[in-house]
Amino acid sequence: MESKETAVNFACQRCCQPLKMHSSVLNIDENALKELSDKQSSYDGLRNEFSNKSMSEFENDFKSGVPMSMSIVNGNGFLVVGGMNESMTTSVTGVDAAVDTLNYHLRVTSRLFDILSDQSDVHHPLCEECADFVIYQMDKQLRVLEDECKVYKEFLESLEKSKANNTDGQKSEESLDELRQEIEKLKTEETTLLEQIKGIDEQQKSIEEEIKQQKEELNQMNEEESRYWCEYNNLKKSAFQCEDELQSVDNQLRYAQSQLDKLRKTNVHSGHFGTINGFRLGRLPTAQVEWSEINAAWGQCVLLLHSLAKKMNLTFKRYKLVPYGNHSFLESLDDKSKELPLYGSGGFRFFWNAKFDQAMVAFLDCLQQFREEMLKEDSTFCLPYRMEKGKIEDTKTNHSYSIKIQFNSEEEWTKALKFMLTNLKWILAWVSSRY
């Protein structure tokens, strides 16, 4: 059987890609390797270390970057890529010869790469691209080192130049003395500055204490100011309330004054007669007033007293006032079917005027009830004429006048009506000032 030559390849130590070896590397002999190894005898220890590595160590180092078809041979740590044709059939003797040839090439090539790796910090073998990259990095590092050497050289030259300029010993001593004096001056200045700093620190502490006191005083003043404004607002509120009350009192006073002036201009007297809204109330032998005018006057009295009672929410106890013009009357609360007319017609002394007398007495009773209600609110109020049981008393003469027609003279009856209208006028003034 014919045997086919086995392809032997190494992997790049940087990118782990398979390498196609040049024929000059594969055909190197043992003598050339020995010459190279003799020149680098100082690296024998490192070469022995590489040669003593086991197959398992190199397999662990490069296993991750080697394809499944790669296999590891001898103990030099390099990967071999290649194989036999599957269709090729060989004898046992042919296989042994191929294996011996492969081992020889691997051993020689691995030893060459060990020598190259010992001569530099770069591990071989490398592919062309990785070798270019390594050369580029080394050139870059070389330029950096050259720049550093240049800087060091310039600095060394400047030192040598300065040393040459300082050959005069006296000048050196003078410069040293000047430096010592400057140092002493700086020390003195430092001491002075330290003392100043100490004084400034003490002054700062005193200022901080003063600031603290000022802040406390400021807080107290703020609190006092807050209290002042609270008191000021309260006083201002009280002043406004007093002004409102004063304005209200002034308005009430002006209104009462206007009512008083109006009442003063209103004269309830027309000679011997008492009048209300121009209607005379009463009769005299010398002045026979028509009963229609008297009835109208009584209607005005009933309307006025009824309005004043309504203003004060007063309900009379025994009678009810019914204003009905010149035919006004009073209802008895005890007997609601009983009406007491406050109007009349005919002569002065007739028996059918008994109800008219009862109506006038009832009206005077309602006026007395109104007075009692006023005294509950104002105990100092007093009417000019006293009223009691159908009679009106003149406090000046202590003479009483009956408000009835029967068994009475026209003059006294007219005077009683006049006094009754005067009391009604006073009640009107009091209610006007109050409400």
Side-chain angles (χ1 to χ4, degrees):
M1 292 294 181
E2 292 181 358
S3 63
K4 187 177 180 180
E5 185 180 357
T6 303
V8 179
N9 290 322
F10 285 81
C12 177
Q13 293 295 300
R14 185 173 179 273
C15 63
C16 297
Q17 295 297 324
L19 297 177
K20 184 176 182 181
M21 306 303 294
H22 195 266
S23 59
S24 61
V25 176
L26 295 174
N27 295 325
I28 194 170
D29 55 1
E30 289 289 341
N31 294 326
L33 288 176
K34 186 176 181 181
E35 291 178 0
L36 291 173
S37 61
D38 291 340
K39 293 179 181 180
Q40 298 294 333
S41 59
S42 60
Y43 294 99
D44 287 341
L46 294 175
R47 189 161 58 248
N48 292 331
E49 181 179 352
F50 279 105
S51 63
N52 291 330
K53 283 188 176 181
S54 62
M55 289 285 290
S56 61
E57 290 177 350
F58 287 106
E59 185 177 1
N60 290 332
D61 290 338
F62 298 102
K63 187 175 182 180
S64 58
V66 179
M68 293 299 294
S69 62
M70 296 179 183
S71 60
I72 301 172
V73 295
N74 79 26
N76 292 324
F78 298 105
L79 300 179
V80 181
V81 181
M84 304 287 288
N85 192 340
E86 293 180 357
S87 62
M88 182 177 64
T89 59
T90 60
S91 63
V92 177
T93 304
V95 172
D96 292 339
V99 171
D100 290 340
T101 304
L102 179 60
N103 288 337
Y104 171 75
H105 287 296
L106 287 176
R107 186 170 57 255
V108 172
T109 307
S110 297
R111 188 174 180 185
L112 175 62
F113 289 146
D114 286 340
I115 294 171
L116 294 175
S117 297
D118 292 339
Q119 292 178 0
S120 66
D121 294 334
V122 181
H123 296 288
H124 293 274
L126 294 174
C127 64
E128 186 176 358
E129 292 180 359
C130 293
D132 293 338
F133 178 75
V134 171
I135 292 171
Y136 171 75
Q137 292 294 330
M138 293 180 71
D139 290 339
K140 185 177 179 180
Q141 187 175 4
L142 178 61
R143 288 193 296 271
V144 172
L145 292 175
E146 287 177 351
D147 293 337
E148 290 180 357
C149 289
K150 183 178 179 181
V151 172
Y152 291 148
K153 186 176 180 181
E154 291 177 354
F155 184 71
L156 181 60
E157 291 176 353
S158 64
L159 287 177
E160 291 177 352
K161 187 176 180 180
S162 62
K163 185 183 292 185
N165 293 331
N166 292 329
T167 54
D168 191 355
Q170 185 176 359
K171 291 182 179 180
S172 299
E173 290 294 335
E174 290 178 357
S175 60
L176 288 175
D177 292 337
E178 290 177 357
L179 290 174
R180 291 191 186 96
Q181 291 176 0
E182 187 175 357
I183 290 172
E184 292 295 332
K185 184 178 179 181
L186 291 174
K187 287 182 178 180
T188 305
E189 186 176 355
E190 180 184 9
T191 305
T192 305
L193 292 175
L194 290 174
E195 292 177 356
Q196 291 180 358
I197 291 172
K198 185 177 180 181
I200 292 172
D201 290 338
E202 293 177 355
Q203 186 177 3
Q204 183 180 2
K205 290 180 180 178
S206 63
I207 291 173
E208 289 177 354
E209 291 178 357
E210 186 176 356
I211 291 173
K212 184 177 180 181
Q213 294 177 358
Q214 294 292 334
K215 286 183 178 179
E216 292 177 356
E217 292 179 0
L218 179 62
N219 293 331
Q220 293 178 358
M221 293 179 66
N222 290 333
E223 292 176 359
E224 292 178 358
E225 184 181 6
S226 299
R227 287 196 298 270
Y228 164 77
W229 283 113
C230 289
E231 294 177 358
Y232 172 78
N233 292 332
N234 292 331
L235 291 175
K236 197 169 184 179
K237 180 180 178 183
S238 301
F240 286 152
Q241 291 176 352
C242 291
E243 289 179 359
D244 292 340
E245 292 177 0
L246 180 60
Q247 187 68 28
S248 176
V249 171
D250 290 339
N251 293 334
Q252 292 178 8
L253 181 60
R254 284 194 294 271
Y255 178 75
Q257 188 67 35
S258 65
Q259 292 294 327
L260 180 60
D261 295 338
K262 187 184 294 184
L263 290 174
R264 283 176 179 174
K265 294 177 182 179
T266 303
N267 187 8
V268 297
H269 305 292
S270 178
H272 297 286
F273 293 98
T275 60
I276 179 170
N277 287 338
F279 298 109
R280 291 174 293 177
L281 192 60
R283 287 171 67 93
L284 292 174
T286 58
Q288 295 294 318
V289 181
E290 297 294 334
W291 279 102
S292 60
E293 184 177 353
I294 295 172
N295 295 338
W298 272 116
Q300 294 293 315
C301 292
V302 173
L303 179 61
L304 178 58
L305 186 59
H306 180 268
S307 299
L308 294 176
K310 188 176 181 181
K311 191 72 174 178
M312 291 184 63
N313 294 324
L314 174 62
T315 302
F316 298 110
K317 295 180 181 179
R318 290 174 288 277
Y319 304 99
K320 179 182 179 182
L321 296 173
V322 182
Y324 200 64
N326 57 357
H327 284 77
S328 300
F329 59 91
L330 284 84
E331 289 183 356
S332 176
L333 298 179
D334 297 334
D335 186 3
K336 294 187 177 181
S337 62
K338 184 177 180 181
E339 292 184 357
L340 302 176
L342 269 175
Y343 55 91
S345 61
F348 186 73
R349 292 186 179 87
F350 292 98
F351 291 103
W352 55 79
N353 287 335
K355 286 188 176 181
F356 183 47
D357 286 343
Q358 292 178 5
M360 290 186 289
V361 172
F363 183 84
L364 199 63
D365 184 23
C366 291
L367 198 62
Q368 179 67 19
Q369 293 182 42
F370 198 97
R371 173 184 172 277
E372 293 174 355
E373 188 68 22
M374 289 166 57
L375 291 174
K376 292 179 181 179
E377 296 186 18
D378 187 4
S379 60
T380 60
F381 181 76
C382 182
L383 293 175
Y385 300 101
R386 189 180 302 149
M387 299 176 293
E388 186 177 4
K389 295 180 181 181
K391 292 183 179 182
I392 298 179
E393 181 182 353
D394 186 358
T395 55
K396 295 180 180 179
T397 61
N398 293 327
H399 184 73
S400 298
Y401 299 92
S402 176
I403 202 171
K404 294 180 181 180
I405 294 178
Q406 288 185 346
F407 310 109
N408 198 0
S409 64
E410 291 182 345
E411 293 83 355
E412 290 191 357
W413 180 64
T414 302
K415 187 169 287 189
L417 293 176
K418 183 179 179 180
F419 291 165
M420 184 269 296
L421 282 175
T422 302
N423 284 348
L424 189 60
K425 173 188 174 182
W426 280 56
I427 291 173
L428 175 61
W430 184 87
V431 173
S432 298
S433 64
R434 286 275 179 161
Y435 300 96

